[in-house]
Amino acid sequence: MLLAGTIISPGFAQDAPVQGGTLIYLEQQAHTNLYPPAGGFYPNGGVLNQITDKLTYQNPETLEIEPWLAESWQVNDTATEYTFKLKPGITFSDGTPLDAKAVAVNYDTFGLGNKELKYPVSEVINNYDHAEVVDDLTIRFHFKHPSPGFLQGTAVIGSGIVSPATLALPYDELGDATKIIGSGPFVVASETLGKELNLTVRADYNWGPAKFEHQGRAYLDGIKYLITPEDSVRIGGLLSGQADIIRQIQAYDEPQVNDAGFEIFAPNTRGVNNSIAFRPDNPLVADLKVRQALTLATNRQEIVDTLFSANYPVATSVISQHAAGYVDESSKLVFDQDKSKALFAEAGWTPGADGILEKDGKKLDLTVYVSLPQPQNEGVLQLVAQQWAQVGVKLNVLAGDAGSRTLDQLDPLKTPVTVAMVGRADPDVIKSGFYPKNRDWLLQKGGSSDKVQGFVDDKLNGLLEGLASETDRAKRLAIAGEIQGYVLDQAYIIPFFEEPQAFATAPYVHGLGFEAVGRPSFYNVWLTR
């Protein structure tokens, strides 16, 4: 619900930042869990980015890794040992020191998980062994095998440092933001679960990223998050002056926001593009020709032209064109209904009386669940369903409650198609999506589901493991390119568009920044109203 009261009018232009004020932020969805590795979910990351800090900072313009909590670091030749020297004098918001011992507790949890407290392993950490506390301000991380992506992994949204007291709580309790003790520029003041979250500035904060011009406390006095699921209400709140910033502005609302003189931000998420992936353990999509035919039946340009704007470019590969290791694979993503129909015929599928393709008494009837975090995902999937219907394939697009969706997503017979997307500015992002011990989009035997009967792709898994352990940068990027080509040759995935995070702000909001994969940072924000 929006705040009642006086309508705010835009302020005047001003060069020097001013201190004070509370930012009113309308968020489409409530956060779910604030265990830092859960920060990949947009609403989670949007909170964690304000209340936690990372060992390092990834410059969103250059993608270089810069000092933050760690003022320096060393990596051995085999990328199996990383040593960080921490900045002195840093404390958590409860006054306890953020020292090497605290960092060790965090990374031992992120890297190994905690079965008793139900903490999962972070998807950005590979081959982790243990942390060694060298002294109060020096920590060394040891890896069983090379882990070349680890340095960048210390800068991601899922690697915020929290107090050991927070990590002593069960995972299920970290949905309560008031239990998160971080070292960030803001502190959780109060929360009404699922409705409102209030952050207040930390007055003694003085350890922002080293290369920031602004040091010391944040300019804002606080941030008020209001959970506002309805697109029209978020837009109305912004344009009427009842809100300062909104997330998830839909493409169809962009013109009226621009016309009103408000600013739109659409930072790229630099990872695996907004896509659908297939589960080949399901007999309906086990045949490569069927998956290729479905790819040919998908008009990705129509999806973008119908539903989106220039902020959502058509995907030309598995990963974003702004991602490290990107290779243009657009020649494997053409739209051709005639070729699609021919491939279905070659695979033995023929139209039934109702027009739906049949083979051995079974119809080509597929199911996919809507993914709420992805922009206009229901509209995207419904349009794909219309396109596939033109070649004789039925695609059922389901909303479903959280419980049924979660269970069905682990069963390839129930969900032969799944929505896929993950952001990270490192080639390891590809492994995050496809590897069976990570997100396991394809559902491989031995992965996240016990429902899988036999599907395994050893070649793909070997490439993914190589990507995570190759220390030579050129060779590592070459592996990333090989994986992109391979998963498209196997038609495991159909990438639609490069997914940004879309925000809009009032004219009096200044200094808004984003980390390397589009999560907002309010540390440098100031208001003139």
Side-chain angles (χ1 to χ4, degrees):
M1 176 173 186
L2 292 179
L3 296 179
T6 307
I7 292 177
I8 302 163
S9 57
F12 54 88
Q14 183 170 322
D15 292 332
V18 294
Q19 188 172 297
T22 296
L23 185 78
I24 309 301
Y25 177 27
L26 303 190
E27 166 60 74
Q28 183 195 39
Q29 295 174 268
H31 66 265
T32 55
N33 192 290
L34 297 178
Y35 172 52
F41 180 56
Y42 294 130
N44 296 350
V47 176
L48 284 166
N49 221 27
Q50 323 314 323
I51 63 176
T52 67
D53 300 319
K54 272 75 78 175
L55 286 179
T56 62
Y57 175 77
Q58 186 170 27
N59 186 309
E61 301 300 324
T62 67
L63 299 186
E64 293 297 315
I65 305 300
E66 300 173 355
W68 193 348
L69 296 179
E71 57 186 17
S72 64
W73 53 85
Q74 293 180 321
V75 185
N76 71 351
D77 291 341
T78 57
T80 55
E81 289 184 5
Y82 290 73
T83 305
F84 293 83
K85 186 74 173 178
L86 301 176
K87 194 181 299 184
I90 302 172
T91 59
F92 293 107
S93 59
D94 64 354
T96 57
L98 194 159
D99 55 13
K101 290 180 181 178
V103 174
V105 170
N106 276 259
Y107 274 89
D108 280 350
T109 305
F110 300 165
L112 302 172
N114 184 319
K115 290 185 179 179
E116 181 182 352
L117 296 177
K118 298 183 179 179
Y119 286 111
V121 173
S122 169
E123 66 182 357
V124 306
I125 300 178
N126 296 303
N127 306 323
Y128 188 84
D129 193 300
H130 71 281
E132 172 194 357
V133 176
V134 178
D135 60 42
D136 286 351
L137 295 177
T138 309
I139 185 163
R140 181 173 296 128
F141 299 107
H142 298 264
F143 295 83
K144 299 171 186 175
H145 306 287
S147 188
F150 179 70
L151 180 61
Q152 190 274 344
T154 64
V156 302
I157 191 65
S159 295
I161 304 298
V162 295
S163 165
T166 295
L167 292 177
L169 300 171
Y171 173 83
D172 292 342
E173 291 190 21
L174 299 197
D176 180 349
T178 64
K179 295 183 177 179
I180 309 301
I181 301 169
S183 65
F186 295 94
V187 180
V188 176
S190 64
E191 177 181 23
T192 303
L193 280 171
K195 294 183 179 180
E196 181 177 321
L197 176 67
N198 291 286
L199 307 185
T200 56
V201 71
R202 184 170 173 186
D204 63 345
Y205 184 82
N206 196 30
W207 42 83
K211 294 193 176 183
F212 276 18
E213 181 179 348
H214 170 212
Q215 295 294 324
R217 62 154 277 177
Y219 298 123
L220 295 170
D221 288 335
I223 306 166
K224 181 183 288 291
Y225 295 72
L226 296 171
I227 310 308
T228 314
E230 301 86 357
D231 295 340
S232 61
V233 177
R234 291 197 306 282
I235 291 290
L238 179 71
L239 297 182
S240 68
Q242 293 180 296
D244 307 321
I245 178 172
I246 63 173
R247 188 184 75 82
Q248 197 76 316
I249 173 175
Q250 304 296 358
Y252 51 73
D253 283 322
E254 289 181 13
Q256 65 169 318
V257 173
N258 281 323
D259 291 346
F262 288 55
E263 190 165 3
I264 293 172
F265 298 84
N268 194 281
T269 50
R270 289 192 174 94
V272 176
N273 290 318
N274 186 296
S275 314
I276 52 173
F278 296 105
R279 274 75 185 274
D281 202 63
N282 185 308
L284 295 177
V285 293
D287 188 336
L288 173 59
K289 287 184 179 179
V290 168
R291 300 195 301 272
Q292 289 173 328
L294 290 169
T295 302
L296 287 163
T298 305
N299 188 339
R300 300 169 315 112
Q301 187 67 55
E302 183 184 37
I303 292 170
V304 171
D305 290 347
T306 303
L307 297 172
F308 297 105
S309 69
N311 290 322
Y312 303 75
V314 174
T316 53
S317 188
V318 177
I319 59 177
S320 163
Q321 61 186 312
H322 303 288
Y326 160 81
V327 175
D328 187 342
E329 296 282 5
S330 50
S331 63
K332 298 175 181 178
L333 293 166
V334 297
F335 168 60
D336 191 322
Q337 285 186 339
D338 291 336
K339 285 186 179 179
S340 174
K341 292 175 181 177
L343 273 178
F344 280 128
E346 286 180 30
W349 292 89
T350 55
D354 57 2
I356 299 175
L357 294 173
E358 296 179 349
K359 181 180 179 181
D360 300 329
K362 293 186 178 179
K363 293 183 179 294
L364 198 46
D365 189 330
L366 309 175
T367 297
V368 64
Y369 274 97
V370 172
S371 175
L372 292 178
Q374 273 49 68
Q376 296 198 68
N377 191 240
E378 183 175 4
V380 169
L381 296 175
Q382 293 289 4
L383 188 49
V384 171
Q386 293 173 28
Q387 294 172 355
W388 288 4
Q390 294 172 20
V391 296
V393 179
K394 184 176 182 181
L395 178 64
N396 303 288
V397 178
L398 304 182
D401 61 62
S404 64
R405 180 168 59 242
T406 300
L407 289 175
D408 287 355
Q409 288 281 39
L410 293 173
D411 189 341
L413 294 181
K414 292 183 178 180
T415 53
V417 183
T418 190
V419 175
M421 183 272 163
V422 59
R424 183 184 173 189
D426 185 88
D428 269 354
V429 71
I430 308 174
K431 177 177 178 286
S432 291
F434 291 100
Y435 196 61
K437 298 297 184 183
N438 294 137
R439 299 196 180 203
D440 195 21
W441 286 331
L442 306 181
L443 290 186
Q444 297 192 52
K445 192 170 180 63
S448 59
S449 171
D450 60 4
K451 302 286 188 181
V452 179
Q453 298 300 307
F455 173 70
V456 174
D457 190 326
D458 290 327
K459 179 178 179 179
L460 175 59
N461 294 338
L463 287 169
L464 295 170
E465 289 164 359
L467 180 68
S469 59
E470 176 55 64
T471 57
D472 183 286
R473 177 170 172 78
K475 291 179 180 177
R476 188 166 180 245
L477 295 180
I479 294 172
E482 186 177 354
I483 295 170
Q484 291 165 70
Y486 180 74
V487 297
L488 291 176
D489 287 340
Q490 295 299 311
Y492 285 149
I493 189 169
I494 305 175
F496 299 140
F497 57 86
E498 299 193 7
E499 181 174 319
Q501 271 296 277
F503 298 81
T505 64
Y508 51 80
V509 176
H510 312 276
L512 178 63
F514 301 91
E515 43 87 80
V517 290
R519 273 59 171 183
S521 171
F522 300 130
Y523 174 58
N524 290 314
V525 168
W526 49 286
L527 306 174
T528 51
R529 64 178 185 201

